[in-house]
PDB file of all heavy atoms in Angstrom:
ATOM      1  N   LEU A 100     -30.735  17.659   0.165  1.00 98.00           N
ATOM      2  CA  LEU A 100     -32.112  17.237   0.457  1.00 98.00           C
ATOM      3  C   LEU A 100     -32.207  15.715   0.458  1.00 98.00           C
ATOM      4  O   LEU A 100     -32.876  15.126   1.286  1.00 98.00           O
ATOM      5  CB  LEU A 100     -33.052  17.824  -0.602  1.00 98.00           C
ATOM      6  CG  LEU A 100     -34.540  17.603  -0.399  1.00 98.00           C
ATOM      7  CD1 LEU A 100     -35.063  18.398   0.784  1.00 98.00           C
ATOM      8  CD2 LEU A 100     -35.324  18.004  -1.652  1.00 98.00           C
ATOM      9  N   THR A 101     -31.556  15.089  -0.502  1.00 98.00           N
ATOM     10  CA  THR A 101     -31.613  13.623  -0.574  1.00 98.00           C
ATOM     11  C   THR A 101     -30.422  13.078  -1.360  1.00 98.00           C
ATOM     12  O   THR A 101     -29.825  13.799  -2.182  1.00 98.00           O
ATOM     13  CB  THR A 101     -32.917  13.138  -1.240  1.00 98.00           C
ATOM     14  OG1 THR A 101     -32.887  11.703  -1.321  1.00 98.00           O
ATOM     15  CG2 THR A 101     -33.114  13.708  -2.632  1.00 98.00           C
ATOM     16  N   ASP A 102     -30.109  11.815  -1.104  1.00 98.00           N
ATOM     17  CA  ASP A 102     -29.085  11.108  -1.890  1.00 98.00           C
ATOM     18  C   ASP A 102     -29.773  10.239  -2.936  1.00 98.00           C
ATOM     19  O   ASP A 102     -29.146   9.375  -3.535  1.00 98.00           O
ATOM     20  CB  ASP A 102     -28.246  10.215  -0.963  1.00 98.00           C
ATOM     21  CG  ASP A 102     -29.087   9.094  -0.345  1.00 98.00           C
ATOM     22  OD1 ASP A 102     -30.238   9.363   0.040  1.00 98.00           O
ATOM     23  OD2 ASP A 102     -28.607   7.956  -0.257  1.00 98.00           O
ATOM     24  N   SER A 103     -31.062  10.462  -3.162  1.00 98.00           N
ATOM     25  CA  SER A 103     -31.848   9.570  -4.017  1.00 98.00           C
ATOM     26  C   SER A 103     -31.989  10.117  -5.428  1.00 98.00           C
ATOM     27  O   SER A 103     -32.653  11.137  -5.635  1.00 98.00           O
ATOM     28  CB  SER A 103     -33.230   9.384  -3.400  1.00 98.00           C
ATOM     29  OG  SER A 103     -33.999   8.519  -4.196  1.00 98.00           O
ATOM     30  N   HIS A 149     -40.042   1.308 -11.712  1.00 97.00           N
ATOM     31  CA  HIS A 149     -39.520   2.653 -11.991  1.00 97.00           C
ATOM     32  C   HIS A 149     -38.800   3.262 -10.799  1.00 97.00           C
ATOM     33  O   HIS A 149     -37.968   4.134 -10.952  1.00 97.00           O
ATOM     34  CB  HIS A 149     -40.614   3.582 -12.539  1.00 97.00           C
ATOM     35  CG  HIS A 149     -41.518   4.141 -11.492  1.00 97.00           C
ATOM     36  ND1 HIS A 149     -42.642   3.496 -11.045  1.00 97.00           N
ATOM     37  CD2 HIS A 149     -41.445   5.295 -10.794  1.00 97.00           C
ATOM     38  CE1 HIS A 149     -43.232   4.231 -10.112  1.00 97.00           C
ATOM     39  NE2 HIS A 149     -42.530   5.319  -9.939  1.00 97.00           N
ATOM     40  N   GLN A 150     -39.122   2.852  -9.585  1.00 97.00           N
ATOM     41  CA  GLN A 150     -38.291   3.212  -8.420  1.00 97.00           C
ATOM     42  C   GLN A 150     -38.644   2.302  -7.263  1.00 97.00           C
ATOM     43  O   GLN A 150     -39.451   1.387  -7.415  1.00 97.00           O
ATOM     44  CB  GLN A 150     -38.372   4.693  -8.082  1.00 97.00           C
ATOM     45  CG  GLN A 150     -39.720   5.269  -7.713  1.00 97.00           C
ATOM     46  CD  GLN A 150     -39.604   6.779  -7.475  1.00 97.00           C
ATOM     47  OE1 GLN A 150     -39.665   7.562  -8.404  1.00 97.00           O
ATOM     48  NE2 GLN A 150     -39.434   7.185  -6.229  1.00 97.00           N
ATOM     49  N   GLY A 151     -38.038   2.537  -6.097  1.00 98.00           N
ATOM     50  CA  GLY A 151     -38.183   1.614  -4.978  1.00 98.00           C
ATOM     51  C   GLY A 151     -39.614   1.431  -4.514  1.00 98.00           C
ATOM     52  O   GLY A 151     -40.068   0.320  -4.249  1.00 98.00           O
ATOM     53  N   ARG A 152     -40.341   2.543  -4.412  1.00 97.00           N
ATOM     54  CA  ARG A 152     -41.691   2.446  -3.847  1.00 97.00           C
ATOM     55  C   ARG A 152     -42.632   1.647  -4.743  1.00 97.00           C
ATOM     56  O   ARG A 152     -43.618   1.099  -4.261  1.00 97.00           O
ATOM     57  CB  ARG A 152     -42.227   3.840  -3.511  1.00 97.00           C
ATOM     58  CG  ARG A 152     -42.482   4.715  -4.688  1.00 97.00           C
ATOM     59  CD  ARG A 152     -42.567   6.175  -4.269  1.00 97.00           C
ATOM     60  NE  ARG A 152     -41.264   6.685  -3.837  1.00 97.00           N
ATOM     61  CZ  ARG A 152     -41.072   7.917  -3.372  1.00 97.00           C
ATOM     62  NH1 ARG A 152     -42.081   8.745  -3.237  1.00 97.00           N
ATOM     63  NH2 ARG A 152     -39.866   8.313  -3.012  1.00 97.00           N
ATOM     64  N   ALA A 153     -42.340   1.575  -6.029  1.00 98.00           N
ATOM     65  CA  ALA A 153     -43.167   0.761  -6.936  1.00 98.00           C
ATOM     66  C   ALA A 153     -42.939  -0.715  -6.620  1.00 98.00           C
ATOM     67  O   ALA A 153     -43.889  -1.515  -6.629  1.00 98.00           O
ATOM     68  CB  ALA A 153     -42.821   1.067  -8.380  1.00 98.00           C
ATOM     69  N   GLU A 155     -42.150  -1.802  -3.691  1.00 98.00           N
ATOM     70  CA  GLU A 155     -42.847  -2.015  -2.414  1.00 98.00           C
ATOM     71  C   GLU A 155     -44.346  -2.211  -2.646  1.00 98.00           C
ATOM     72  O   GLU A 155     -44.966  -3.116  -2.095  1.00 98.00           O
ATOM     73  CB  GLU A 155     -42.653  -0.783  -1.503  1.00 98.00           C
ATOM     74  CG  GLU A 155     -41.214  -0.595  -1.048  1.00 98.00           C
ATOM     75  CD  GLU A 155     -40.948   0.811  -0.507  1.00 98.00           C
ATOM     76  OE1 GLU A 155     -41.883   1.637  -0.454  1.00 98.00           O
ATOM     77  OE2 GLU A 155     -39.792   1.077  -0.149  1.00 98.00           O
ATOM     78  N   THR A 173     -36.384  -0.311  10.843  1.00 95.00           N
ATOM     79  CA  THR A 173     -37.241   0.879  10.786  1.00 95.00           C
ATOM     80  C   THR A 173     -37.748   1.004   9.352  1.00 95.00           C
ATOM     81  O   THR A 173     -36.944   1.077   8.417  1.00 95.00           O
ATOM     82  CB  THR A 173     -36.479   2.166  11.165  1.00 95.00           C
ATOM     83  OG1 THR A 173     -35.729   1.935  12.365  1.00 95.00           O
ATOM     84  CG2 THR A 173     -37.452   3.320  11.407  1.00 95.00           C
ATOM     85  N   HIS A 174     -39.042   1.037   9.202  1.00 94.00           N
ATOM     86  CA  HIS A 174     -39.630   1.210   7.869  1.00 94.00           C
ATOM     87  C   HIS A 174     -39.331   2.612   7.364  1.00 94.00           C
ATOM     88  O   HIS A 174     -39.511   3.593   8.088  1.00 94.00           O
ATOM     89  CB  HIS A 174     -41.150   1.032   7.924  1.00 94.00           C
ATOM     90  CG  HIS A 174     -41.590  -0.376   8.162  1.00 94.00           C
ATOM     91  ND1 HIS A 174     -41.662  -1.303   7.161  1.00 94.00           N
ATOM     92  CD2 HIS A 174     -41.978  -1.013   9.290  1.00 94.00           C
ATOM     93  CE1 HIS A 174     -42.091  -2.458   7.651  1.00 94.00           C
ATOM     94  NE2 HIS A 174     -42.282  -2.308   8.945  1.00 94.00           N
ATOM     95  N   PHE A 175     -38.925   2.706   6.105  1.00 93.00           N
ATOM     96  CA  PHE A 175     -38.877   4.010   5.451  1.00 93.00           C
ATOM     97  C   PHE A 175     -40.329   4.470   5.238  1.00 93.00           C
ATOM     98  O   PHE A 175     -41.234   3.647   5.228  1.00 93.00           O
ATOM     99  CB  PHE A 175     -38.127   3.904   4.110  1.00 93.00           C
ATOM    100  CG  PHE A 175     -38.027   5.211   3.400  1.00 93.00           C
ATOM    101  CD1 PHE A 175     -37.300   6.256   3.951  1.00 93.00           C
ATOM    102  CD2 PHE A 175     -38.694   5.432   2.203  1.00 93.00           C
ATOM    103  CE1 PHE A 175     -37.223   7.480   3.312  1.00 93.00           C
ATOM    104  CE2 PHE A 175     -38.618   6.654   1.555  1.00 93.00           C
ATOM    105  CZ  PHE A 175     -37.888   7.690   2.109  1.00 93.00           C
ATOM    106  N   ASP A 176     -40.544   5.790   5.061  1.00 87.00           N
ATOM    107  CA  ASP A 176     -41.951   6.249   5.060  1.00 87.00           C
ATOM    108  C   ASP A 176     -42.794   5.674   3.912  1.00 87.00           C
ATOM    109  O   ASP A 176     -43.960   5.354   4.109  1.00 87.00           O
ATOM    110  CB  ASP A 176     -42.077   7.780   5.175  1.00 87.00           C
ATOM    111  CG  ASP A 176     -41.276   8.555   4.144  1.00 87.00           C
ATOM    112  OD1 ASP A 176     -40.785   7.933   3.191  1.00 87.00           O
ATOM    113  OD2 ASP A 176     -41.153   9.793   4.281  1.00 87.00           O
ATOM    114  N   THR A 177     -42.187   5.464   2.719  1.00 90.00           N
ATOM    115  CA  THR A 177     -42.992   4.882   1.625  1.00 90.00           C
ATOM    116  C   THR A 177     -43.292   3.409   1.902  1.00 90.00           C
ATOM    117  O   THR A 177     -44.348   2.904   1.526  1.00 90.00           O
ATOM    118  CB  THR A 177     -42.265   4.979   0.261  1.00 90.00           C
ATOM    119  OG1 THR A 177     -41.013   4.295   0.340  1.00 90.00           O
ATOM    120  CG2 THR A 177     -42.034   6.422  -0.147  1.00 90.00           C
ATOM    121  N   THR A 178     -42.350   2.727   2.560  1.00 93.00           N
ATOM    122  CA  THR A 178     -42.545   1.309   2.898  1.00 93.00           C
ATOM    123  C   THR A 178     -43.716   1.199   3.879  1.00 93.00           C
ATOM    124  O   THR A 178     -44.640   0.401   3.688  1.00 93.00           O
ATOM    125  CB  THR A 178     -41.268   0.733   3.541  1.00 93.00           C
ATOM    126  OG1 THR A 178     -40.137   1.303   2.900  1.00 93.00           O
ATOM    127  CG2 THR A 178     -41.217  -0.759   3.432  1.00 93.00           C
ATOM    128  N   THR A 232     -33.965  -3.199   6.712  1.00 98.00           N
ATOM    129  CA  THR A 232     -33.529  -2.124   5.828  1.00 98.00           C
ATOM    130  C   THR A 232     -32.032  -1.886   6.002  1.00 98.00           C
ATOM    131  O   THR A 232     -31.574  -1.597   7.120  1.00 98.00           O
ATOM    132  CB  THR A 232     -34.316  -0.832   6.147  1.00 98.00           C
ATOM    133  OG1 THR A 232     -35.713  -1.132   6.041  1.00 98.00           O
ATOM    134  CG2 THR A 232     -33.967   0.288   5.187  1.00 98.00           C
ATOM    135  N   VAL A 233     -31.275  -2.051   4.918  1.00 98.00           N
ATOM    136  CA  VAL A 233     -29.816  -1.848   4.960  1.00 98.00           C
ATOM    137  C   VAL A 233     -29.437  -0.727   3.989  1.00 98.00           C
ATOM    138  O   VAL A 233     -29.787  -0.796   2.837  1.00 98.00           O
ATOM    139  CB  VAL A 233     -29.071  -3.147   4.585  1.00 98.00           C
ATOM    140  CG1 VAL A 233     -29.228  -4.203   5.663  1.00 98.00           C
ATOM    141  CG2 VAL A 233     -29.544  -3.732   3.254  1.00 98.00           C
ATOM    142  N   THR A 234     -28.750   0.281   4.510  1.00 95.00           N
ATOM    143  CA  THR A 234     -28.632   0.691   5.901  1.00 95.00           C
ATOM    144  C   THR A 234     -29.957   1.280   6.364  1.00 95.00           C
ATOM    145  O   THR A 234     -30.821   1.563   5.544  1.00 95.00           O
ATOM    146  CB  THR A 234     -27.544   1.780   6.063  1.00 95.00           C
ATOM    147  OG1 THR A 234     -27.920   2.905   5.223  1.00 95.00           O
ATOM    148  CG2 THR A 234     -26.179   1.320   5.630  1.00 95.00           C
ATOM    149  N   ASN A 235     -30.084   1.485   7.666  1.00 95.00           N
ATOM    150  CA  ASN A 235     -31.373   1.913   8.210  1.00 95.00           C
ATOM    151  C   ASN A 235     -31.542   3.424   8.059  1.00 95.00           C
ATOM    152  O   ASN A 235     -31.180   4.188   8.954  1.00 95.00           O
ATOM    153  CB  ASN A 235     -31.432   1.481   9.682  1.00 95.00           C
ATOM    154  CG  ASN A 235     -32.816   1.675  10.266  1.00 95.00           C
ATOM    155  OD1 ASN A 235     -33.812   1.719   9.540  1.00 95.00           O
ATOM    156  ND2 ASN A 235     -32.883   1.789  11.579  1.00 95.00           N
ATOM    157  N   ASN A 236     -32.092   3.839   6.940  1.00 92.00           N
ATOM    158  CA  ASN A 236     -32.214   5.265   6.603  1.00 92.00           C
ATOM    159  C   ASN A 236     -32.943   6.053   7.687  1.00 92.00           C
ATOM    160  O   ASN A 236     -32.428   7.048   8.204  1.00 92.00           O
ATOM    161  CB  ASN A 236     -32.938   5.396   5.253  1.00 92.00           C
ATOM    162  CG  ASN A 236     -33.099   6.831   4.797  1.00 92.00           C
ATOM    163  OD1 ASN A 236     -32.420   7.737   5.281  1.00 92.00           O
ATOM    164  ND2 ASN A 236     -34.001   7.051   3.870  1.00 92.00           N
ATOM    165  N   SER A 237     -34.152   5.598   8.053  1.00 87.00           N
ATOM    166  CA  SER A 237     -34.957   6.367   9.015  1.00 87.00           C
ATOM    167  C   SER A 237     -34.322   6.375  10.405  1.00 87.00           C
ATOM    168  O   SER A 237     -34.691   7.183  11.243  1.00 87.00           O
ATOM    169  CB  SER A 237     -36.370   5.800   9.097  1.00 87.00           C
ATOM    170  OG  SER A 237     -36.933   5.775   7.802  1.00 87.00           O
ATOM    171  N   ASP A 265     -34.776  -4.517   2.441  1.00 98.00           N
ATOM    172  CA  ASP A 265     -34.944  -3.242   1.743  1.00 98.00           C
ATOM    173  C   ASP A 265     -33.496  -2.836   1.450  1.00 98.00           C
ATOM    174  O   ASP A 265     -32.771  -2.378   2.327  1.00 98.00           O
ATOM    175  CB  ASP A 265     -35.653  -2.227   2.637  1.00 98.00           C
ATOM    176  CG  ASP A 265     -35.768  -0.853   1.968  1.00 98.00           C
ATOM    177  OD1 ASP A 265     -34.970  -0.561   1.051  1.00 98.00           O
ATOM    178  OD2 ASP A 265     -36.637  -0.067   2.375  1.00 98.00           O
ATOM    179  N   ALA A 266     -33.085  -3.089   0.200  1.00 98.00           N
ATOM    180  CA  ALA A 266     -31.650  -3.115  -0.121  1.00 98.00           C
ATOM    181  C   ALA A 266     -31.106  -1.806  -0.696  1.00 98.00           C
ATOM    182  O   ALA A 266     -29.982  -1.780  -1.205  1.00 98.00           O
ATOM    183  CB  ALA A 266     -31.394  -4.253  -1.116  1.00 98.00           C
ATOM    184  N   CYS A 267     -31.863  -0.713  -0.585  1.00 98.00           N
ATOM    185  CA  CYS A 267     -31.468   0.566  -1.232  1.00 98.00           C
ATOM    186  C   CYS A 267     -29.993   0.913  -1.075  1.00 98.00           C
ATOM    187  O   CYS A 267     -29.354   1.355  -2.011  1.00 98.00           O
ATOM    188  CB  CYS A 267     -32.272   1.716  -0.654  1.00 98.00           C
ATOM    189  SG  CYS A 267     -34.024   1.580  -0.959  1.00 98.00           S
ATOM    190  N   ARG A 268     -29.450   0.701   0.128  1.00 98.00           N
ATOM    191  CA  ARG A 268     -28.056   1.109   0.400  1.00 98.00           C
ATOM    192  C   ARG A 268     -27.219  -0.109   0.820  1.00 98.00           C
ATOM    193  O   ARG A 268     -26.428  -0.052   1.749  1.00 98.00           O
ATOM    194  CB  ARG A 268     -28.039   2.228   1.450  1.00 98.00           C
ATOM    195  CG  ARG A 268     -28.806   3.491   0.971  1.00 98.00           C
ATOM    196  CD  ARG A 268     -28.866   4.604   1.985  1.00 98.00           C
ATOM    197  NE  ARG A 268     -29.619   5.747   1.484  1.00 98.00           N
ATOM    198  CZ  ARG A 268     -30.960   5.879   1.520  1.00 98.00           C
ATOM    199  NH1 ARG A 268     -31.705   4.930   2.068  1.00 98.00           N
ATOM    200  NH2 ARG A 268     -31.545   6.954   1.026  1.00 98.00           N
ATOM    201  N   THR A 303     -36.481  -5.537  -1.997  1.00 98.00           N
ATOM    202  CA  THR A 303     -36.947  -4.383  -2.761  1.00 98.00           C
ATOM    203  C   THR A 303     -35.737  -3.472  -2.896  1.00 98.00           C
ATOM    204  O   THR A 303     -34.864  -3.460  -2.029  1.00 98.00           O
ATOM    205  CB  THR A 303     -38.078  -3.628  -2.044  1.00 98.00           C
ATOM    206  OG1 THR A 303     -37.631  -3.254  -0.735  1.00 98.00           O
ATOM    207  CG2 THR A 303     -39.324  -4.484  -1.916  1.00 98.00           C
ATOM    208  N   MET A 304     -35.678  -2.736  -4.004  1.00 98.00           N
ATOM    209  CA  MET A 304     -34.488  -1.925  -4.246  1.00 98.00           C
ATOM    210  C   MET A 304     -34.849  -0.648  -4.980  1.00 98.00           C
ATOM    211  O   MET A 304     -35.624  -0.670  -5.941  1.00 98.00           O
ATOM    212  CB  MET A 304     -33.500  -2.754  -5.094  1.00 98.00           C
ATOM    213  CG  MET A 304     -32.276  -1.997  -5.590  1.00 98.00           C
ATOM    214  SD  MET A 304     -31.110  -1.686  -4.233  1.00 98.00           S
ATOM    215  CE  MET A 304     -29.929  -0.593  -5.042  1.00 98.00           C
ATOM    216  N   SER A 305     -34.275   0.454  -4.517  1.00 98.00           N
ATOM    217  CA  SER A 305     -34.332   1.710  -5.261  1.00 98.00           C
ATOM    218  C   SER A 305     -32.958   1.920  -5.877  1.00 98.00           C
ATOM    219  O   SER A 305     -31.980   2.153  -5.156  1.00 98.00           O
ATOM    220  CB  SER A 305     -34.668   2.865  -4.323  1.00 98.00           C
ATOM    221  OG  SER A 305     -34.426   4.097  -4.979  1.00 98.00           O
ATOM    222  N   ALA A 306     -32.875   1.829  -7.201  1.00 98.00           N
ATOM    223  CA  ALA A 306     -31.584   2.000  -7.878  1.00 98.00           C
ATOM    224  C   ALA A 306     -31.116   3.450  -7.834  1.00 98.00           C
ATOM    225  O   ALA A 306     -30.018   3.769  -8.277  1.00 98.00           O
ATOM    226  CB  ALA A 306     -31.688   1.505  -9.315  1.00 98.00           C
ATOM    227  N   LYS A 307     -31.955   4.350  -7.285  1.00 98.00           N
ATOM    228  CA  LYS A 307     -31.591   5.760  -7.152  1.00 98.00           C
ATOM    229  C   LYS A 307     -30.559   5.972  -6.044  1.00 98.00           C
ATOM    230  O   LYS A 307     -30.008   7.046  -5.911  1.00 98.00           O
ATOM    231  CB  LYS A 307     -32.853   6.579  -6.856  1.00 98.00           C
ATOM    232  CG  LYS A 307     -33.919   6.425  -7.935  1.00 98.00           C
ATOM    233  CD  LYS A 307     -35.228   7.108  -7.567  1.00 98.00           C
ATOM    234  CE  LYS A 307     -35.089   8.607  -7.720  1.00 98.00           C
ATOM    235  NZ  LYS A 307     -36.413   9.285  -7.585  1.00 98.00           N
ATOM    236  N   LYS A 308     -30.343   4.943  -5.235  1.00 98.00           N
ATOM    237  CA  LYS A 308     -29.323   5.041  -4.184  1.00 98.00           C
ATOM    238  C   LYS A 308     -28.110   4.229  -4.668  1.00 98.00           C
ATOM    239  O   LYS A 308     -27.338   4.703  -5.478  1.00 98.00           O
ATOM    240  CB  LYS A 308     -29.868   4.520  -2.848  1.00 98.00           C
ATOM    241  CG  LYS A 308     -30.846   5.464  -2.151  1.00 98.00           C
ATOM    242  CD  LYS A 308     -32.218   5.360  -2.705  1.00 98.00           C
ATOM    243  CE  LYS A 308     -33.266   6.032  -1.856  1.00 98.00           C
ATOM    244  NZ  LYS A 308     -34.573   6.029  -2.523  1.00 98.00           N
ATOM    245  N   ILE A 314     -32.776   7.085 -11.821  1.00 98.00           N
ATOM    246  CA  ILE A 314     -34.136   6.551 -11.662  1.00 98.00           C
ATOM    247  C   ILE A 314     -34.039   5.029 -11.762  1.00 98.00           C
ATOM    248  O   ILE A 314     -33.095   4.502 -12.333  1.00 98.00           O
ATOM    249  CB  ILE A 314     -35.087   7.147 -12.736  1.00 98.00           C
ATOM    250  CG1 ILE A 314     -36.555   6.908 -12.394  1.00 98.00           C
ATOM    251  CG2 ILE A 314     -34.769   6.617 -14.133  1.00 98.00           C
ATOM    252  CD1 ILE A 314     -37.085   7.715 -11.234  1.00 98.00           C
ATOM    253  N   GLY A 315     -35.044   4.350 -11.212  1.00 98.00           N
ATOM    254  CA  GLY A 315     -35.105   2.895 -11.369  1.00 98.00           C
ATOM    255  C   GLY A 315     -35.152   2.152 -10.047  1.00 98.00           C
ATOM    256  O   GLY A 315     -34.903   2.715  -8.975  1.00 98.00           O
ATOM    257  N   GLY A 316     -35.491   0.881 -10.151  1.00 98.00           N
ATOM    258  CA  GLY A 316     -35.545   0.026  -8.967  1.00 98.00           C
ATOM    259  C   GLY A 316     -35.860  -1.389  -9.402  1.00 98.00           C
ATOM    260  O   GLY A 316     -35.980  -1.666 -10.597  1.00 98.00           O
ATOM    261  N   HIS A 394     -24.907   7.474   4.250  1.00 97.00           N
ATOM    262  CA  HIS A 394     -25.254   8.416   3.180  1.00 97.00           C
ATOM    263  C   HIS A 394     -25.567   9.802   3.696  1.00 97.00           C
ATOM    264  O   HIS A 394     -25.847  10.697   2.897  1.00 97.00           O
ATOM    265  CB  HIS A 394     -26.468   7.891   2.402  1.00 97.00           C
ATOM    266  CG  HIS A 394     -27.739   7.855   3.231  1.00 97.00           C
ATOM    267  ND1 HIS A 394     -27.880   7.065   4.336  1.00 97.00           N
ATOM    268  CD2 HIS A 394     -28.907   8.543   3.116  1.00 97.00           C
ATOM    269  CE1 HIS A 394     -29.088   7.255   4.859  1.00 97.00           C
ATOM    270  NE2 HIS A 394     -29.731   8.141   4.150  1.00 97.00           N
ATOM    271  N   TYR A 397     -26.884  13.371  10.406  1.00 96.00           N
ATOM    272  CA  TYR A 397     -28.168  13.779  10.981  1.00 96.00           C
ATOM    273  C   TYR A 397     -27.895  14.709  12.164  1.00 96.00           C
ATOM    274  O   TYR A 397     -27.323  14.294  13.171  1.00 96.00           O
ATOM    275  CB  TYR A 397     -28.943  12.550  11.467  1.00 96.00           C
ATOM    276  CG  TYR A 397     -29.399  11.625  10.353  1.00 96.00           C
ATOM    277  CD1 TYR A 397     -28.481  10.877   9.614  1.00 96.00           C
ATOM    278  CD2 TYR A 397     -30.743  11.487  10.033  1.00 96.00           C
ATOM    279  CE1 TYR A 397     -28.894  10.033   8.597  1.00 96.00           C
ATOM    280  CE2 TYR A 397     -31.171  10.638   9.010  1.00 96.00           C
ATOM    281  CZ  TYR A 397     -30.241   9.918   8.301  1.00 96.00           C
ATOM    282  OH  TYR A 397     -30.649   9.076   7.287  1.00 96.00           O
ATOM    283  N   VAL A 430     -33.050  18.393   5.121  1.00 97.00           N
ATOM    284  CA  VAL A 430     -34.474  18.065   5.282  1.00 97.00           C
ATOM    285  C   VAL A 430     -34.788  17.741   6.743  1.00 97.00           C
ATOM    286  O   VAL A 430     -33.991  17.090   7.424  1.00 97.00           O
ATOM    287  CB  VAL A 430     -34.894  16.908   4.342  1.00 97.00           C
ATOM    288  CG1 VAL A 430     -34.235  15.591   4.722  1.00 97.00           C
ATOM    289  CG2 VAL A 430     -36.403  16.746   4.302  1.00 97.00           C
ATOM    290  N   ILE A 432     -36.352  15.714   9.601  1.00 93.00           N
ATOM    291  CA  ILE A 432     -36.868  14.361   9.844  1.00 93.00           C
ATOM    292  C   ILE A 432     -37.276  14.389  11.305  1.00 93.00           C
ATOM    293  O   ILE A 432     -36.465  14.142  12.191  1.00 93.00           O
ATOM    294  CB  ILE A 432     -35.793  13.287   9.549  1.00 93.00           C
ATOM    295  CG1 ILE A 432     -35.346  13.418   8.089  1.00 93.00           C
ATOM    296  CG2 ILE A 432     -36.315  11.891   9.870  1.00 93.00           C
ATOM    297  CD1 ILE A 432     -34.797  12.180   7.433  1.00 93.00           C
ATOM    298  N   ARG A 454     -31.564  16.017   8.344  1.00 97.00           N
ATOM    299  CA  ARG A 454     -30.680  15.137   7.584  1.00 97.00           C
ATOM    300  C   ARG A 454     -29.974  15.917   6.486  1.00 97.00           C
ATOM    301  O   ARG A 454     -30.603  16.634   5.723  1.00 97.00           O
ATOM    302  CB  ARG A 454     -31.497  14.005   6.948  1.00 97.00           C
ATOM    303  CG  ARG A 454     -30.618  13.002   6.194  1.00 97.00           C
ATOM    304  CD  ARG A 454     -31.432  11.931   5.504  1.00 97.00           C
ATOM    305  NE  ARG A 454     -32.043  12.421   4.290  1.00 97.00           N
ATOM    306  CZ  ARG A 454     -32.674  11.648   3.394  1.00 97.00           C
ATOM    307  NH1 ARG A 454     -32.781  10.342   3.619  1.00 97.00           N
ATOM    308  NH2 ARG A 454     -33.204  12.167   2.316  1.00 97.00           N
ATOM    309  N   ALA A 456     -28.110  14.773   3.482  1.00 98.00           N
ATOM    310  CA  ALA A 456     -27.815  13.570   2.688  1.00 98.00           C
ATOM    311  C   ALA A 456     -26.836  13.938   1.576  1.00 98.00           C
ATOM    312  O   ALA A 456     -27.003  14.961   0.913  1.00 98.00           O
ATOM    313  CB  ALA A 456     -29.098  13.000   2.098  1.00 98.00           C
TER     314      ALA A 456
HETATM  315  N1  F0G B 702     -36.516   2.433   1.183  1.00 94.39           N
HETATM  316  C1  F0G B 702     -35.619   3.274   1.706  1.00 94.39           C
HETATM  317  C2  F0G B 702     -34.769   2.824   2.866  1.00 94.39           C
HETATM  318  C3  F0G B 702     -35.454   4.565   1.162  1.00 94.39           C
HETATM  319  O1  F0G B 702     -34.546   5.392   1.693  1.00 94.39           O
HETATM  320  C4  F0G B 702     -36.252   4.952   0.067  1.00 94.39           C
HETATM  321  C5  F0G B 702     -36.144   6.296  -0.505  1.00 94.39           C
HETATM  322  C6  F0G B 702     -37.174   4.037  -0.456  1.00 94.39           C
HETATM  323  C7  F0G B 702     -37.279   2.779   0.133  1.00 94.39           C
HETATM  324  C8  F0G B 702     -38.075   4.357  -1.616  1.00 94.39           C
HETATM  325  O2  F0G B 702     -37.365   4.406  -2.802  1.00 94.39           O
HETATM  326  O3  F0G B 702     -37.564   6.794  -3.538  1.00 94.39           O
HETATM  327  O4  F0G B 702     -36.921   4.989  -5.156  1.00 94.39           O
HETATM  328  O5  F0G B 702     -39.222   5.120  -4.294  1.00 94.39           O
HETATM  329  N2  F0G B 702     -35.561   7.242   0.081  1.00 94.39           N
HETATM  330  C9  F0G B 702     -35.333   8.605  -0.414  1.00 94.39           C
HETATM  331  C10 F0G B 702     -34.715   9.449   0.669  1.00 94.39           C
HETATM  332  C11 F0G B 702     -36.523   9.246  -1.054  1.00 94.39           C
HETATM  333  O6  F0G B 702     -34.607  10.676   0.489  1.00 94.39           O
HETATM  334  O7  F0G B 702     -34.316   8.906   1.698  1.00 94.39           O
HETATM  335  P1  F0G B 702     -37.784   5.387  -4.009  1.00 94.39           P
END
Side-chain angles (χ1 to χ4, degrees):
L100 185 69
T101 178
D102 65 319
S103 181
H149 79 273
Q150 61 183 85
R152 67 198 69 183
E155 293 163 2
T173 313
H174 289 279
F175 181 65
D176 53 12
T177 59
T178 323
T232 304
V233 291
T234 59
N235 190 23
N236 181 18
S237 305
D265 176 338
C267 297
R268 299 178 181 84
T303 56
M304 173 73 188
S305 167
K307 302 173 75 171
K308 285 81 167 174
I314 195 71
H394 66 296
Y397 293 69
V430 67
I432 301 206
R454 183 183 77 171

